[in-house]
């Protein structure tokens, strides 16, 4: 991440406060700093659709260009410009829809409390689950007061974080697709295997793990390249899954905030890939 100087912005069409529930599955017990670095400057950008913010209950009725101020732990911790809203026809796991933000507009800063917000919007009475609609003409002065603005720096390629497919030799020969989605899964798990919690520490001190598609990509399985179909594994358990040597039990897989596994793909593995006895 690199620090950026703040500057006076133009007046947006609207300014909204979006509450984030610190008790939801996505952020259980997270600190403000962790939400800022791991979510806003991490997971929200490291996905196939950067800037896609999925919601569980209600989204946000706002026009494109609206500046959204994210409220977490009774403080404003981040902001982004809304591109569009989407309500799913059918729920995607626990999610009912998504808000799409311009990736280059996402920024975090020193948390802002009630006093600063009320200074610019005197009618603001305090943080709650209310999605406040603020006077947008006062936003430039508010943004000018933000301290320690940080935006994501361009990614630096690493030896174990390649964009192009590569072939490696283990007990089987396979194509490793280190895409943004698999990188996001590995980051969410801190490069620790979801089965055994093991990680490889490389010579430069970085951590190594592999992303495995539960229902494999390509013929004959034709699994989708979606986060609900990807697990973070150590090389040994990756090979074991490829060879059908182990059965997957969702109750035994570590699933942290922000990573939902679809039972459909787990069932596919257990019925089609696993070589053990079927029930």
């Amino acid at each position: 991440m690199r620090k950026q100087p703040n500057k006076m912005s133009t007046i947006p069409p609207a300014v909204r406060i979006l509450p984030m529930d610190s008790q939801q599955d996505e952020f259980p017990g997270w600190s403000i700093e962790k939400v800022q670095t791991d979510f806003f400057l991490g997971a929200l950008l490291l996905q196939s659709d950067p800037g896609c913010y999925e919601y569980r209950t209600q989204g946000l009725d706002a026009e494109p260009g609206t500046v959204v101020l994210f409220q977490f732990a009774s403080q404003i911790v981040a902001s982004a410009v809304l591109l569009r809203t989407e309500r799913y026809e059918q729920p995607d796991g626990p999610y009912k829809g998504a808000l799409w933000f311009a990736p280059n507009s996402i920024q975090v800063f020193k948390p802002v409390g009630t006093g600063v917000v009320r200074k610019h919007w005197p009618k603001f009475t305090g943080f709650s689950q209310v999605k406040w609609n603020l006077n947008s003409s006062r936003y430039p002065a508010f943004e000018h007061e933000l301290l320690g603005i940080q935006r994501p720096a361009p990614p630096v390629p690493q030896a174990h974080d390649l964009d192009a497919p590569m072939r490696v030799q283990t007990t089987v020969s396979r194509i490793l697709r280190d895409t943004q989605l698999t990188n996001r899964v590995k980051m969410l798990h801190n490069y620790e295997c979801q089965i055994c919690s093991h990680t490889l520490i490389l010579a430069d001190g970085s951590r190594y793990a592999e992303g495995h598609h539960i229902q494999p990509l390509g013929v004959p399985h034709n699994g989708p390249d979606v986060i609900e179909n990807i697990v973070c594994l150590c090389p040994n358990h990756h090979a074991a899954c490829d060879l059908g040597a182990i059965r997957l039990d969702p109750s035994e897989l570590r699933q942290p905030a922000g990573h939902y596994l679809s039972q459909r793909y787990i069932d596919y593995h257990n019925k089609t890939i696993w070589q053990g006895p079927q029930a």
Side-chain angles (χ1 to χ4, degrees):
M1 297 175 294
R2 61 174 183 269
K3 294 187 177 181
Q4 308 245 347
N6 45 340
K7 56 184 179 181
M8 291 291 284
S9 65
T10 58
I11 297 176
V15 177
R16 301 293 300 275
I17 292 180
L18 179 64
M20 301 170 63
D21 190 348
S22 60
Q23 301 305 313
Q24 280 193 347
D25 291 342
E26 283 80 4
F27 316 105
W30 282 28
S31 66
I32 289 177
E33 182 180 6
K34 183 175 178 63
V35 168
Q36 290 179 321
T37 57
D38 290 10
F39 180 71
F40 285 106
L41 299 183
L44 187 57
L45 294 159
L46 296 174
Q47 52 184 324
S48 58
D49 297 310
C52 177
Y53 179 100
E54 293 186 294
Y55 60 83
R56 289 173 173 264
T57 53
Q58 296 182 346
L60 192 66
D61 184 14
E63 62 182 298
T66 294
V67 170
V68 175
L69 304 176
F70 294 89
Q71 167 195 324
F72 185 83
S74 298
Q75 298 193 73
I76 302 298
V77 301
S79 68
V81 176
L82 183 69
L83 294 177
R84 63 185 176 90
T85 63
E86 179 182 3
R87 180 78 177 182
Y88 298 153
E89 292 184 3
Q90 298 292 333
D92 184 7
Y95 302 109
K96 302 291 183 59
L99 306 175
W100 298 79
F101 296 96
N104 62 357
S105 74
I106 297 170
Q107 60 182 16
V108 301
F109 35 76
K110 182 178 179 180
V112 175
T114 303
V116 175
V117 178
R118 189 174 293 145
K119 172 184 174 182
H120 296 279
W121 293 284
K123 293 183 179 180
F124 177 76
T125 58
F127 294 115
S128 64
Q129 291 305 304
V130 175
K131 299 170 184 176
W132 283 91
N133 192 345
L134 306 174
N135 185 336
S136 61
S137 66
R138 304 187 181 190
Y139 177 72
F142 168 80
E143 187 182 40
H144 187 64
E145 283 199 40
L146 298 179
L147 300 175
I149 292 178
Q150 296 183 57
R151 300 187 180 97
V156 179
Q158 299 181 19
H160 57 286
D161 188 18
L162 303 177
D163 291 328
M166 62 177 291
R167 188 169 295 278
V168 298
Q169 188 70 35
T170 59
T171 53
V172 293
S173 182
R174 63 179 181 271
I175 296 290
L176 292 182
R177 293 172 176 85
D178 260 353
T179 63
Q180 288 183 326
L181 276 181
T182 56
N183 288 337
R184 177 186 177 190
V185 170
K186 289 186 284 188
M187 286 180 60
L188 287 171
H189 290 272
N190 198 27
Y191 292 83
E192 295 176 355
C193 178
Q194 287 183 249
I195 296 176
C196 68
S197 300
H198 182 66
T199 185
L200 294 180
I201 306 298
L202 303 182
D204 62 359
S206 60
R207 302 163 75 88
Y208 176 83
E210 297 177 356
H212 170 70
H213 288 81
I214 303 171
Q215 180 177 341
L217 305 182
V219 178
H221 304 291
N222 299 316
D225 192 16
V226 295
I227 196 168
E228 296 85 358
N229 187 34
I230 302 173
V231 287
C232 177
L233 300 175
C234 65
N236 286 344
H237 278 118
H238 193 174
C241 283
D242 277 344
L243 292 169
I246 57 175
R247 184 179 186 278
L248 295 179
D249 183 344
S251 66
E252 297 177 357
L253 292 172
R254 294 189 307 106
Q255 297 189 47
H259 187 204
Y260 165 79
L261 291 176
S262 172
Q263 185 64 45
R264 173 180 24 165
Y265 307 126
I266 293 175
D267 289 343
Y268 184 92
H269 171 89
N270 291 337
K271 294 177 181 179
T272 307
I273 310 297
W274 182 46
Q275 300 299 309
Q278 299 294 320

